[in-house]
Amino acid sequence: MTHGMRTDAYTSRPGDGGGRREQAARYALLPLRIFLGVTFVYAGLDKLTDSAFMKDSGAGSVGDMMRAVRDSSAVPALVDLALKKPSGFGYAIALGELAVGIGTLIGLLTRLAALGGALISLSLWLTVSWAADPYYYGNDLAYLMAWIPLVLAGAPLLSVDAVLRSRRRRGTGDGYR
C-alpha cells in the first residue's frame, strides 16, 4: 500500500481568504520583529540614560567593560578601536541600537535595519560575549541568528516599507513589482 504525503498544505482554497496557514505564514516574522525592535530600542535607551555607562572609566562604564573583555575577545583589534574613545563607542552602540530598533518596529528600511542589528550583534558576540562558556550562554550569537530572517525577508506586512511599496505599485500601474 502506498502512503502519500500531502503536498498542498499551503495552497489556498477558493473563497477562504488565503487560509489560516497562509495567514500565519504571512505574519510569522511579526513577533520576531516586535521582540527585536522593542529589545533594541530598550537597550539603546538604557545605555543613553545610564550616566555610568557612557564614561571612559569607572564602575559600570563602557570603558571598563571593554578593558575587561579585551584579552578574551575573538577580535581584540575591535576592542582596541573602541578603547580609543570608549564614550564615543558607547554612544555609537546606543544610537545604533535605537535606530535599528525603531526601523525594525515601524518597518522602515527593515532589511537595512536588520543588517545593522546583525552587525551590532556580531560585533558584541566577537568582543563582549565571545568568552561565554559554553558558547550558548552568550546571548549575542542568538540575536545575530534572530536578525537573519529579517535581513532576508524584510517586513512585508504592517510596515512603512509595505505602504511605500504599495504606493509605488499604484503609481506605476504595475501590481507585480
Side-chain angles (χ1 to χ4, degrees):
M1 179 195 288
T2 305
H3 294 281
M5 186 166 73
R6 187 174 177 178
T7 60
D8 65 342
Y10 294 103
T11 59
S12 61
R13 295 178 188 98
D16 73 354
R20 284 178 281 172
R21 288 185 182 184
E22 290 80 10
Q23 287 292 86
R26 290 177 57 201
Y27 289 93
L29 291 178
L30 191 57
L32 182 63
R33 201 175 110 207
I34 292 169
F35 170 75
L36 289 171
V38 167
T39 300
F40 269 58
V41 166
Y42 180 83
L45 289 175
D46 189 43
K47 288 174 181 69
L48 289 171
T49 58
D50 182 354
S51 59
F53 182 80
M54 291 300 175
K55 294 187 176 169
D56 290 348
S57 62
S61 70
V62 65
D64 279 4
M65 181 181 66
M66 290 287 106
R67 281 186 281 282
V69 301
R70 197 245 176 243
D71 293 333
S72 63
S73 74
V75 187
L78 280 178
V79 179
D80 290 339
L81 184 62
L83 283 171
K84 289 185 180 189
K85 184 68 173 143
S87 61
F89 174 74
Y91 278 107
I93 289 292
L95 293 172
E97 287 173 337
L98 194 56
V100 161
I102 291 170
T104 301
L105 275 177
I106 67 172
L108 178 62
L109 302 173
T110 310
R111 286 184 170 142
L112 182 61
L115 180 61
L119 291 174
I120 289 170
S121 297
L122 176 63
S123 67
L124 292 174
W125 176 55
L126 292 173
T127 56
V128 178
S129 62
W130 181 257
D133 187 32
Y135 76 92
Y136 50 83
Y137 279 176
N139 65 355
D140 294 311
L141 178 59
Y143 280 107
L144 171 61
M145 294 298 114
W147 282 112
I148 293 173
L150 293 177
V151 170
L152 296 173
L157 297 171
L158 302 176
S159 66
V160 174
D161 291 344
V163 170
L164 295 174
R165 190 170 34 256
S166 175
R167 285 185 181 171
R168 279 194 308 265
R169 285 181 186 155
R170 275 187 266 137
T172 62
D174 182 7
Y176 296 103
R177 282 187 188 225

